[in-house]
Amino acid sequence: MTYATKENNLNYFENNNLIIMEKEFILLKPDAVQRGLIGELISRFEKKGLRLIGMKLIHVDNELAQKHYLVHKGKPFFDKLVEFITSGPVLAIAVVGNNAVSVTRTIVGGTNPAEAAPGTIRGDFGLDIGRNLIHASDSVENAIYELGLYFNENEYVNWSPISEEWLYE
Ligand code: IDP
Ligand code: MG
C-alpha cells in the first residue's frame, strides 16, 4: 500500500484504483449498550472489513453532547436527544476504510428504525426514532469534527490488519 496522496496520508493508488481511506466516527448510543448489543453491532463493521483504530466506553456529559449535536440545536427533538445521549454509557468507535463514511451510513440505515431497511442496524434492532441505537458521521468533514470531540490523536492505534490484503484489490 503505497503512494499516499492527500494531506491525511490515508489515500493511495493500488493497481491504478484510488483507494479513499476515510476515517469515520461511530457511536453506539445508550440504548445499544443497555440492550447488550455492543458485540453484535461492532461485528457488522468488523466483518465488513472496516479497520478499527479507536474505541472507548464513556459517559457523555452535557457539554460534549451539545457540541456533538450542535447542528440540531433549536430543533424540537434537541433537548431530548441530549438527555438521551447523556443517559448512560456509549461506545465511541473510530474506523478507517475505503469510503468508510458512506459504507458505514449504509450499514446503519435510515434515521427512523420503523422505516429503516431490513439488514441495516436500525432496521433490524429498533422501533423508535428516539431510540435508534447508533450514530455515524454523515460526511468526511463531520467525521473529522466529531472524531476530534471524542478522540485525541494519540489515542488512535496505527496498525495494518492482514485482512486488508484480501479486502482491497
Ligand atoms: P442520523 O442519526 O440518521 O444522522 P439526524 O437527522 O442527524 O439523523 O438526527 C440526529 C439524531 O437525532 C437521530 O439519530 C435521532 O436520534 C434524533 N432525531 C432526529 N430526528 C428526530 C425526530 O424527528 N424525533 C426524535 N428524534 C430525532
Ligand atoms: Mg446525523
Side-chain angles (χ1 to χ4, degrees):
M1 300 199 174
T2 47
Y3 310 124
T5 55
K6 293 264 169 76
E7 62 287 338
N8 61 12
N9 272 356
L10 286 170
N11 301 338
Y12 56 86
F13 282 93
E14 187 82 28
N15 300 328
N16 288 325
N17 293 324
L18 176 60
I19 305 289
I20 301 172
M21 293 297 272
E22 296 170 351
K23 271 188 197 167
E24 170 66 320
F25 174 63
I26 301 167
L27 187 88
L28 304 189
K29 294 180 177 179
D31 52 340
V33 176
Q34 294 288 357
R35 291 174 57 197
L37 292 172
I38 288 177
E40 174 91 38
L41 301 191
I42 291 177
S43 77
R44 295 193 172 206
F45 300 104
E46 195 179 31
K47 286 176 194 161
K48 181 69 172 170
L50 292 168
R51 186 200 318 165
L52 184 65
I53 59 163
M55 182 159 72
K56 54 180 162 182
L57 187 70
I58 56 166
H59 200 132
V60 175
D61 64 18
N62 189 272
E63 190 187 343
L64 177 56
Q66 298 274 343
K67 286 182 188 159
H68 177 158
Y69 284 121
L70 197 62
V71 293
H72 298 298
K73 208 173 170 90
K75 293 184 184 167
F77 58 84
F78 180 77
D79 288 346
K80 277 170 77 178
L81 180 57
V82 168
E83 192 183 318
F84 169 49
I85 208 74
T86 58
S87 68
V90 301
L91 193 77
I93 303 166
V95 296
V96 171
N98 188 20
N99 293 309
V101 172
S102 66
V103 164
T104 297
R105 296 277 294 184
T106 300
I107 292 170
V108 166
T111 305
N112 187 351
E115 292 161 8
T120 66
I121 287 173
R122 288 166 171 170
D124 286 353
F125 296 103
L127 293 162
D128 185 325
I129 194 166
R131 296 288 181 271
N132 65 359
L133 299 138
I134 184 165
H135 167 84
S137 311
D138 63 4
S139 66
V140 170
E141 295 69 32
N142 286 340
I144 291 166
Y145 170 73
E146 292 167 9
L147 284 165
L149 293 178
Y150 284 86
F151 290 96
N152 294 316
E153 280 296 323
N154 64 9
E155 290 177 311
Y156 296 127
V157 177
N158 186 10
W159 64 301
S160 302
I162 55 168
S163 58
E164 285 186 9
E165 203 179 314
W166 299 94
L167 284 161
Y168 298 107
E169 189 184 8

